[in-house]
Amino acid sequence: MVATGKQNLQLDWGTIALYGTLVLFGWMTIYSAAYNPLLPSPFAFSEEYGKQLVWIGACIFLIVVILYLDAEVFNKLAVYIYLFFVLLLMLVLVIGKEVNGAKAWFGIGDFGIQPSEFSKIGVGLFLSKFISSSGLQLKNLRMRIQAFAIIGLPAFLILLQPDVGSLLTFLAFILVMYREGMSGNVLIAGFASVVIGTLSIVIGAGRTTYPYFGEMSSIWTFIISLFGLAILALIFVRNFVVPRSRRMLYSVTVISLILASTLAFSINYIVDNVLEKHHKERIYVMLSLPVEREDATYNSEMAKITVGSGGFFGRGFHQGPMTQNNYVPEQWTDFIFSAVAEEWGFVGSVAVILLFFALIYRLVALAERQRSQFSRVYGYCVAAILFMHLLINIGMVLGLAPIIGIPLPFFSYGGSSLMAFTILLFIMIRLDAERLSIFR
Amino acid sequence: MNNDNRRYTFLFIVGTICVIYIVRLFALQVATSEWKNRGSRLTEREVIVYPSRGNIFDRNGKVLVTNQTVYDLMVLPKEVVAFDTLEFCKLVNLPYDELKEILKKSVTYPNVKYKPSPVIKQMLPEEYALFAERLYKFPGFFVQARTLRTYPENLGSLVLGDVGEVNKDILEKHPDYRKGDYIGLNGIEKSYEKELRGKRGIKYVYRDNLGVEHSVENGQLDSAAQEGVDLYSTLDAELQKYGEKLMQNKRGCIVAIEPSTGEILALVSAPTFDPNLLVGRARGQNFAALAKDPLKPLFNRATQAQYRPGSIFKLAQSLTALQLGAITKETRIACNRSIIGCHGPHSMDDLEMAIVHSCNPYFRGVLQRVVEANRDPNNRANDAAMGLAIWNEQIRKLGFGSNLGSDLPGMKKGNVPSPEYYNKKYGVGGWNFSTIYSIAIGEGELLINPVQMCNLACIIANRGFYVPPHTVRQIGRGGSARTEYVTRIDVGVKPDYFETVVNAMEKVVGPGGTANSIKLSDIVICGKTGTVQNEPREDHSVFVCFAPKENPKIALAVYVEYAGFGGTWAAPISSLMIEKFLKGGTTNTAREEQMMNAKILN
């Protein structure tokens, strides 16, 4: 279907207002955190706040372009957009610039472009197209595998960079697939994995002396406990469950036990032998386990101190002693939330979290009111990606997640992230604006 | 199949996470001020104002130890911007590679970008002057003034002591010290650390967002630095320097004390070294070199050495035996050389002449009378044990076996054998007088420290008391010594008994005496030589003395290792010291030259 004309666009001004508020708040925070007293002008283009203004300008341009485009374009070109970004992800592995050990950037003069940020747009569009065009729901195994392949290809390329943070945000698409009919067991399994994984690392870091075996990692205690739980479950099933369900529950118990033990064992192996040392340290720091190098805790400690320094009402704009003295390294990028927390306090931090919640809530509402499945799935993609960033980034600042370098949407300094999120969001706004004229 | 309800699951997950984060924020920001306080501790910087350490003067007001200002060039990495490294390296005279290394180190653990690290420690004022006016060109670099010790007289390195940065052990034991603080490690610097140190001042500042430092709460929390207290030591710089010269190229020590006050006039440990070596940047390197020197210049022979005293101990034996009533001054004992060797023609001396002749059989007999007094007629071993216990108690009153309550750090106590000591060595009942008699003549298991030897001379000079030897006579200008150094300690020997000993010592430095050669026409020296056997090596040459005989002004103990007979080396050195102190110098330049030029380091 073709758009009915620009005059009839029904833009969702609420979402746009939320976007504007977040971007403005974000820029102010960058201005405060990256402030250079020698160049106080917001238009100091050599400084982060000046550059970010340029990116905001670029975003306004992008918004206008998106709104002028025909909504049908996104549906039709979804595959090509996806392939284009996959190509970029391959290219960056070859000619990319290495920053902090990851080949994730195209360097253009002073500016860098991070294709992994943009690739989420491609995945979101293609996944929406795939799910909507199949006409089926995601109960079919073959379809699920295909959907995972769509997500997996760019994810794999990002892993090669390697950029674990960006990779994790791809988990957002699992939430989308859940909404579109994939079994809810995946969420339960995911939650259980996080719990078992965390417990395994915490318990596995200690050492226990076992009779006959001597001193070994305490992980065996945990695995033995899992076996004990499984036996209890089997006894329970045998005695309290009606016979026809028993068989299924027996196998569920045994399979869960095998999976859980494998996870418990392998995650420790991975943490000890596969992950790089600083990754292991970050996980240990988050879990308050002892680390060898004291400075491994530095970023996490400083972030928490900076957040705590804010108190209830905050120190005021430009007044945060931790922020103004740059105690948190590169605070204007991944740790920007700590600057919000210090200068605007509990009140401001909660406001930011509520703004994000409102935006996600609004996006879910937008998605649900779409007539086209394509638009709906895409809406959920945007909401879920925002949520994953929020979850990991703020969790990291608050010491609840390991230190994973991903940006806080609209806040963190950086053109790639800001433009990618703007495009992601405004495609949805554009799709929504024509919801009444699309009937698929 | 309708999954529409799953929107609520989705929103529920998002909402739950938001609630968890809000609760966490509340915990960090509102519920506790722990994190906030830790932030204050970081941003409100304590600037430590270092007090300058007290000066040390000699007894005549000459400066022995004072301070010089040096500058630590520091870097705060986060404020460094690109700078002209070539000019910088040239100004501070640092190779580029080293600078690179230092800057790299300043941002690697345990240093962090946000804390200053030293670039060049202890620049001298003239080095800093070159750099000072260009400092503004190098943001992130700044200097911190510190003071260092300096020794204008270049003497007394071990008695004055040295200072160094506190190490981990000290930091653990003394929480009021901080990393980078200096502490006295030795000598007067150590024993008077509390007075010399002064009090560190603290200024609290915080930096605003323009990087300007402000004082916190108008400086009400600040405390001013208190300068260290000056000390007026008992040392006589001239005498100390002279002693060091006499002892050059020899191993040994000189202890000189003013008997009436216990004030240490000179404390020479040879070989010595320039105290300025242990200051500043070269300290570590020099210290290592000195520590490796086989002649052990860092070992304070005057306080830490424990020697067998040899014949000089006969003075102590005499006083003890007289006081215990085992002998009188008329007691004669045959010089029976079948048990123990002797020298010189004499056969049946009384006490005075036995001291002059240093008759070994005589003093064996004296000790026998003290120890084997038939207190247990049935058991010779037990008899000796009972006797030795009585002897031990009396001899200890003369200051042996203790550190004398001196302010010299690390004073060794020596060893005065007790019955318990021999029981341990030979078993209970496994020894008797014939096992132990060599202590009668200052040999055997007896160990005495040179300060104790000199203190014995003081006791005799004072006819019955001593004041604990000490190195500081005034704490602060016009102050007094520590209270324990103004009280006399009585040794419990009747004054009469000293006359015999003093007269004998006078005769030692006279015709027929073992130190006849040092007799002076105008000053009566009372002394006793000692020759401590060291088979197969050369004997140690020992001499203790005081002068003048009446109203003594100086007591000395001189110990020259592996030099030979006591009268040949230790006695002449003593007499030269006496002349220096009492008359300002000697006219016997031949002897002076002979002593100074002798090299006894074989």
Side-chain angles (χ1 to χ4, degrees):
Chain A
M1 284 285 151
V2 172
T4 48
K6 313 301 180 243
Q7 298 85 350
N8 299 346
L9 284 185
Q10 309 210 344
L11 294 177
D12 188 70
W13 287 103
T15 311
I16 295 173
L18 284 169
Y19 166 81
T21 312
L22 286 168
V23 169
L24 191 68
F25 202 166
W27 179 82
M28 275 172 60
T29 314
I30 293 170
Y31 181 60
S32 188
Y35 187 68
N36 178 349
L38 299 176
L39 295 164
S41 159
F43 301 101
F45 293 118
S46 61
E47 303 299 311
E48 282 78 9
Y49 37 94
K51 288 183 191 164
Q52 189 75 354
L53 270 187
V54 176
W55 295 123
I56 292 173
C59 284
I60 294 172
F61 172 74
L62 285 171
I63 290 168
V64 172
V65 171
I66 290 166
L67 294 183
Y68 265 91
L69 281 177
D70 198 310
E72 195 69 356
V73 168
F74 302 113
N75 191 340
K76 282 191 176 146
L77 294 183
V79 186
Y80 303 103
I81 295 172
Y82 173 81
L83 290 176
F84 174 69
F85 284 121
V86 167
L87 195 68
L88 284 187
L89 285 175
M90 288 177 177
L91 208 58
V92 81
L93 291 174
V94 185
I95 61 164
K97 198 169 61 170
E98 196 167 312
V99 179
N100 294 334
K103 247 186 167 178
W105 296 80
F106 287 119
I108 305 161
D110 256 1
F111 291 114
I113 292 286
Q114 210 179 350
S116 55
E117 293 291 345
F118 293 96
S119 64
K120 290 166 204 161
I121 304 168
V123 177
L125 287 171
F126 189 25
L127 190 68
S128 311
K129 170 105 178 172
F130 175 75
I131 292 173
S132 58
S133 60
S134 67
L136 289 163
Q137 286 185 321
L138 280 169
K139 291 241 158 139
N140 175 326
L141 180 66
R142 200 168 139 245
M143 257 199 77
R144 260 184 276 167
I145 291 171
Q146 285 172 341
F148 274 114
I150 291 170
I151 304 164
L153 176 61
F156 179 69
L157 291 170
I158 288 171
L159 182 64
L160 291 180
Q161 290 181 356
D163 180 355
V164 181
S166 297
L167 182 68
L168 281 175
T169 60
F170 276 66
L171 291 174
F173 295 111
I174 291 176
L175 275 176
V176 177
M177 284 161 70
Y178 163 73
R179 165 62 185 88
E180 293 306 319
M182 199 169 69
S183 162
N185 289 342
V186 73
L187 296 184
I188 296 169
F191 181 71
S193 305
V194 171
V195 172
I196 291 173
T198 310
L199 280 174
S200 308
I201 295 172
V202 172
I203 295 170
R207 297 191 77 78
T208 308
T209 309
Y210 298 92
Y212 304 112
F213 291 98
E215 196 193 273
M216 290 201 301
S217 166
S218 304
I219 189 63
W220 298 106
T221 311
F222 185 62
I223 291 178
I224 291 164
S225 317
L226 286 177
F227 269 87
L229 278 177
I231 289 166
L232 283 179
L234 290 176
I235 292 169
F236 181 83
V237 169
R238 194 190 138 97
N239 293 323
F240 299 100
V241 175
V242 287
R244 68 187 154 87
S245 305
R246 275 185 204 162
R247 211 179 142 162
M248 201 257 292
L249 284 171
Y250 282 146
S251 52
V252 165
T253 310
V254 171
I255 290 169
S256 307
L257 173 66
I258 292 168
L259 289 177
S261 312
T262 313
L263 175 69
F265 182 73
S266 57
I267 198 159
N268 271 282
Y269 182 82
I270 289 168
V271 166
D272 280 340
N273 303 309
V274 181
L275 288 189
E276 284 180 44
K277 203 166 168 236
H278 69 276
H279 284 136
K280 178 179 172 178
E281 281 172 347
R282 287 172 177 185
I283 292 170
Y284 271 41
V285 167
M286 173 195 65
L287 297 174
S288 302
L289 293 172
V291 282
E292 279 164 39
R293 295 182 314 135
E294 277 175 49
D295 60 341
T297 63
Y298 180 83
N299 284 9
S300 175
E301 288 288 292
M302 288 304 142
K304 278 187 270 185
I305 290 172
T306 307
V307 171
S309 164
F312 192 79
F313 288 110
R315 299 295 185 106
F317 183 56
H318 249 292
Q319 302 293 324
M322 297 290 293
T323 300
Q324 298 307 323
N325 286 305
N326 302 339
Y327 278 92
V328 183
E330 305 219 343
Q331 196 181 11
W332 46 89
T333 60
D334 298 341
F335 278 98
I336 188 121
F337 188 71
S338 65
V340 176
E342 184 177 36
E343 301 203 331
W344 302 98
F346 180 68
V347 176
S349 316
V350 170
V352 169
I353 288 178
L354 291 181
L355 279 173
F356 273 109
F357 182 76
L359 183 60
I360 291 169
Y361 185 88
R362 187 74 201 146
L363 280 166
V364 169
L366 293 192
E368 291 292 344
R369 75 183 184 189
Q370 302 304 312
R371 294 180 189 173
S372 120
Q373 196 188 6
F374 172 80
S375 305
R376 186 181 73 213
V377 178
Y378 183 77
Y380 267 99
C381 285
V382 180
I385 291 169
L386 280 175
F387 170 62
M388 281 312 288
H389 276 262
L390 189 73
L391 174 74
I392 297 173
N393 183 285
I394 295 186
M396 164 185 85
V397 172
L398 299 182
L400 295 174
I403 294 180
I404 295 169
I406 64 163
L408 183 64
F410 315 121
F411 270 74
S412 289
Y413 165 74
S416 301
S417 143
L418 181 63
M419 290 196 293
F421 279 111
T422 302
I423 295 170
L424 203 61
L425 182 68
F426 274 85
I427 288 178
M428 183 59 206
I429 291 174
R430 180 69 188 85
L431 291 173
D432 174 69
E434 268 183 39
R435 65 184 183 279
L436 297 175
S437 40
I438 297 174
F439 297 99
R440 268 202 292 166
Chain B
M1 233 182 293
N2 193 330
N3 297 310
D4 282 357
N5 282 337
R6 290 194 170 181
R7 77 175 88 165
Y8 301 115
T9 316
F10 183 88
L11 286 173
F12 174 75
I13 294 171
V14 176
T16 309
I17 295 294
C18 288
V19 169
I20 290 173
Y21 284 180
I22 288 170
V23 170
R24 173 72 169 176
L25 274 168
F26 188 83
L28 288 175
Q29 296 189 295
V30 187
T32 161
S33 48
E34 183 205 332
W35 296 98
K36 193 172 187 169
N37 293 343
R38 286 175 61 177
S40 313
R41 262 176 276 152
L42 280 176
T43 49
E44 288 170 18
R45 206 148 65 84
E46 284 180 11
V47 177
I48 294 169
V49 188
Y50 288 99
S52 62
R53 217 172 152 80
N55 301 304
I56 304 176
F57 300 91
D58 93 331
R59 62 192 293 114
N60 300 316
K62 208 175 248 177
V63 180
L64 297 181
V65 188
T66 183
N67 301 306
Q68 59 176 341
T69 306
V70 291
Y71 301 88
D72 289 352
L73 178 60
M74 310 288 286
V75 62
L76 188 57
K78 74 161 180 139
E79 290 183 357
V80 174
V81 297
F83 62 98
D84 185 345
T85 46
L86 194 72
E87 187 188 4
F88 184 89
C89 289
K90 227 168 102 190
L91 278 171
V92 298
N93 194 17
L94 191 73
Y96 175 68
D97 291 343
E98 254 178 70
L99 175 71
K100 235 170 76 181
E101 196 57 34
I102 290 165
L103 289 180
K104 208 176 130 194
K105 243 173 94 183
S106 71
V107 290
T108 29
Y109 181 76
N111 302 309
V112 287
K113 253 166 99 179
Y114 312 93
K115 284 185 196 155
S117 306
V119 179
I120 299 178
K121 277 190 166 180
Q122 302 168 349
M123 290 167 87
L124 296 174
E126 52 270 29
E127 292 175 311
Y128 172 53
L130 283 173
F131 183 62
E133 55 183 28
R134 305 280 168 79
L135 191 58
Y136 76 93
K137 281 184 166 177
F138 308 105
F141 290 90
F142 63 99
V143 288
Q144 242 174 18
R146 298 287 304 259
T147 56
L148 275 192
R149 293 307 237 180
T150 178
Y151 307 83
E153 294 290 327
N154 182 7
L155 52 75
S157 39
L158 289 177
V159 62
L160 295 173
D162 56 334
V163 297
E165 278 191 29
V166 289
N167 60 25
K168 233 174 123 187
D169 284 359
I170 298 171
L171 283 174
E172 273 166 20
K173 274 185 227 148
H174 304 279
D176 54 327
Y177 283 86
R178 297 187 181 196
K179 213 172 154 225
D181 277 2
Y182 287 121
I183 187 169
L185 298 174
N186 225 319
I188 296 178
E189 297 275 18
K190 183 175 185 181
S191 38
Y192 291 85
E193 166 68 15
K194 221 176 81 198
E195 288 84 356
L196 287 170
R197 183 185 173 199
K199 231 182 112 194
R200 197 176 34 214
I202 296 176
K203 237 168 59 185
Y204 293 92
V205 296
Y206 90 95
R207 297 165 61 124
D208 67 9
N209 54 359
L210 299 171
V212 182
E213 292 190 341
H214 298 279
S215 59
V216 174
E217 295 185 26
N218 289 325
Q220 284 175 11
L221 305 168
D222 299 0
S223 57
Q226 260 173 37
E227 306 292 289
V229 177
D230 288 349
L231 298 181
Y232 291 79
S233 91
T234 60
L235 296 174
D236 182 314
E238 290 295 315
L239 190 66
Q240 175 78 23
K241 198 181 259 176
Y242 189 65
E244 290 181 7
K245 257 191 169 158
L246 289 170
M247 289 300 286
Q248 68 195 4
N249 292 319
K250 299 167 194 67
R251 258 170 295 187
C253 58
I254 302 176
V255 182
I257 299 177
E258 183 179 60
S260 58
T261 57
E263 293 179 357
I264 296 175
L265 300 168
L267 197 83
V268 177
S269 172
T272 184
F273 58 91
D274 180 350
N276 292 302
L277 287 176
L278 294 187
V279 168
R281 264 180 272 167
R283 178 188 158 85
Q285 202 185 343
N286 290 337
F287 189 89
L290 288 169
K292 263 190 241 157
D293 189 330
L295 296 174
K296 298 191 178 170
L298 291 173
F299 179 65
N300 190 343
R301 289 172 162 82
T303 59
Q304 291 172 306
Q306 304 181 91
Y307 297 109
R308 277 173 290 121
S311 301
I312 59 165
F313 197 66
K314 289 168 183 161
L315 302 172
Q317 296 285 32
S318 307
L319 295 170
T320 306
L322 286 169
Q323 179 62 28
L324 293 174
I327 57 166
T328 65
K329 60 181 180 174
E330 284 87 22
T331 304
R332 290 177 183 273
I333 297 171
C335 180
N336 180 353
R337 299 184 185 187
S338 60
I339 305 170
I340 187 165
C342 200
H343 31 73
H346 57 273
S347 59
M348 200 64 183
D349 283 338
D350 64 0
L351 177 60
E352 190 177 307
M353 287 321 288
I355 294 173
V356 175
H357 293 138
S358 202
C359 179
N360 290 337
Y362 185 94
F363 281 97
R364 182 186 172 281
V366 168
L367 188 66
Q368 187 162 26
R369 284 164 200 227
V370 173
V371 171
E372 283 198 316
N374 238 5
R375 293 181 182 90
D376 184 348
N378 305 319
N379 184 340
R380 194 173 173 216
N382 193 36
D383 188 28
M386 291 168 79
L388 189 69
I390 292 167
W391 172 84
N392 184 290
E393 189 190 340
Q394 184 61 34
I395 209 94
R396 278 176 181 275
K397 288 187 183 163
L398 300 172
F400 299 115
S402 88
N403 67 6
L404 299 170
S406 158
D407 63 2
L408 296 162
M411 258 279 279
K412 283 285 175 349
K413 293 179 176 174
N415 183 32
V416 182
S418 60
E420 293 74 34
Y421 176 83
Y422 284 121
N423 283 343
K424 220 169 159 186
K425 189 168 173 185
Y426 300 113
V428 180
W431 58 279
N432 56 44
F433 175 72
S434 57
T435 326
I436 63 164
Y437 65 78
S438 46
I439 61 171
I441 58 165
E443 301 280 351
E445 296 83 359
L446 203 61
L447 288 175
I448 305 293
N449 153 298
V451 176
Q452 293 169 341
M453 295 180 199
C454 187
N455 193 53
L456 174 66
C458 289
I459 292 167
I460 300 166
N462 292 332
R463 277 83 167 167
F465 71 88
Y466 69 93
V467 178
H470 56 279
T471 50
V472 171
R473 62 206 302 241
Q474 288 182 8
I475 297 173
R477 180 176 285 276
S480 55
R482 290 186 180 159
T483 48
E484 59 263 43
Y485 302 133
V486 292
T487 14
R488 295 175 168 190
I489 294 173
D490 192 273
V491 298
V493 176
K494 241 169 77 184
D496 287 356
Y497 296 148
F498 286 96
E499 280 324 303
T500 319
V501 175
V502 170
N503 290 336
M505 287 173 77
E506 185 184 355
K507 284 188 180 148
V508 167
V509 189
T514 47
N516 181 34
S517 67
I518 66 163
K519 190 171 168 61
L520 300 173
S521 56
D522 45 355
I523 302 167
V524 183
I525 301 175
C526 300
K528 176 78 191 80
T529 57
T531 305
V532 179
Q533 288 160 18
N534 275 308
E535 298 295 344
R537 298 183 73 176
E538 198 71 57
D539 298 339
H540 294 322
S541 172
V542 194
F543 193 68
V544 297
C545 65
F546 62 88
K549 186 184 176 192
E550 301 307 327
N551 201 9
K553 289 282 178 248
I554 180 169
L556 279 150
V558 176
Y559 213 105
V560 189
E561 294 180 15
Y562 309 112
F565 184 55
T568 328
W569 296 103
I573 288 174
S574 304
S575 86
L576 289 169
M577 290 289 284
I578 290 168
E579 283 191 275
K580 181 77 183 175
F581 184 65
L582 295 179
K583 302 193 301 194
T586 182
T587 47
N588 192 345
T589 49
R591 171 183 290 161
E592 192 172 48
E593 268 174 39
Q594 187 205 347
M595 289 299 135
M596 284 185 183
N597 296 337
K599 192 170 172 184
I600 313 173
L601 290 173
N602 52 322

